[in-house]
């Protein structure tokens, strides 16, 4: 089913109920909608959340770059929104998405590849795409 | 397969590699290991993470109570650890767990029940357990 954006009045009313932290941010989890795989964790401000709900394409807030981060804008690895769900405290959001390609900047499908095992930290997946392919050569 | 805890030296080395934030915390996502359902998002400090890895029973850090939060200690709704995975930046952790009963303090299986839909915020699940059953009467 294609994503249907709420209109502006509904979006504004929903975003008014979100509990952003002291930096104006909310934690966002991206999950592949059909497989259930957790892809990444990032942050959104009100503007990023509004853009995501309006366009159906996921936009985060980059804490390092201090600005909107339209996921896949450079790499092409976009996330199309399927459904968004606030938690009970309304200070975290789960994004059910359709991830094109890989979510992780290392070229892996998921960012959560460092398993804590009896023998130490074990990388359980390998990159599927070379970083140079994602971002070009320096 | 039952969870096997790393020994103390391995745990210490792993926790040394975690990037806790300025408050000494890391974001933790709890996911039911077999269904893939996202149960909740919470926080851990180094002590909570060490206890979780040592005991195989999930312990968070409560930002409101400023102390360790042994999930299920009051309600009985414990989370048994199956696997733990740090992300690429090592500032978020995914906990694959076996959730006994419900994860949410509202009596719902998952905290993420407020869907952002064209008509507004829609509660997509109902409580499975009464709050009085979880926490007793005041």
């Amino acid at each position: 089913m294609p994503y249907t954006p709420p209109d502006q009045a509904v979006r504004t009313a929903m975003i008014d109920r979100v509990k952003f932290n002291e930096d104006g941010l909310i934690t966002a989890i991206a999950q592949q909608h059909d497989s259930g795989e957790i892809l990444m964790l990032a942050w959104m401000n009100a503007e990023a959340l509004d853009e995501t709900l309006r366009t159906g394409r996921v936009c985060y807030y980059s804490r390092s770059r201090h600005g909107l981060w339209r996921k896949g804008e450079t790499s092409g690895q976009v996330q199309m929104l399927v459904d968004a769900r606030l938690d009970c405290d309304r200070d975290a959001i789960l994004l059910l998405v359709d991830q094109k390609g890989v979510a992780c900047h290392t070229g892996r499908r998921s960012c959560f590849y460092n398993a804590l095992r009896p023998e130490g930290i074990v990388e359980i997946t390998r990159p599927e795409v070379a970083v140079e392919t994602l971002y070009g050569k320096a």
Side-chain angles (χ1 to χ4, degrees), chain A:
Chain A
M1 201 169 67
Y3 171 75
T4 305
D7 67 26
Q8 190 184 333
V10 171
R11 290 199 311 276
T12 301
M14 292 194 301
I15 291 169
D16 277 350
R17 294 195 58 203
V18 174
K19 286 193 196 151
F20 296 100
N21 69 12
E22 61 273 20
D23 296 320
L25 302 177
I26 183 173
T27 318
I29 306 165
Q31 180 179 34
Q32 175 65 30
H33 72 102
D34 45 8
S35 70
E37 185 178 24
I38 302 303
L39 300 167
M40 57 184 284
L41 184 141
W43 297 81
M44 290 179 146
N45 64 1
E47 189 180 354
L49 178 53
D50 188 64
E51 176 169 317
T52 298
L53 293 172
R54 176 171 56 78
T55 64
R57 199 176 129 176
V58 177
C59 174
Y60 297 105
Y61 179 84
S62 168
R63 295 180 301 171
S64 56
R65 287 186 282 124
H66 304 288
L68 293 184
W69 166 25
R70 294 182 177 91
K71 175 71 182 161
E73 194 167 45
T74 307
S75 66
Q77 318 288 296
V78 299
Q79 292 178 342
M80 303 307 295
L81 187 65
V82 175
D83 201 9
R85 298 177 189 166
L86 288 171
D87 75 348
C88 50
D89 298 326
R90 304 196 305 278
D91 64 356
I93 190 164
L94 172 63
L95 305 170
L96 295 169
V97 303
D98 191 18
Q99 170 72 54
K100 308 298 180 191
V102 299
C104 185
H105 75 287
T106 65
R108 292 171 175 86
R109 175 82 179 163
S110 163
C111 294
F112 291 93
Y113 58 82
N114 295 298
L116 305 184
R117 298 285 168 82
E119 62 270 37
I121 297 179
V122 177
E123 295 191 359
I124 56 172
T125 60
R126 301 300 307 160
E128 298 177 18
V129 185
V131 172
E132 295 76 17
T133 307
L134 288 177
Y135 301 104
K137 295 189 183 183

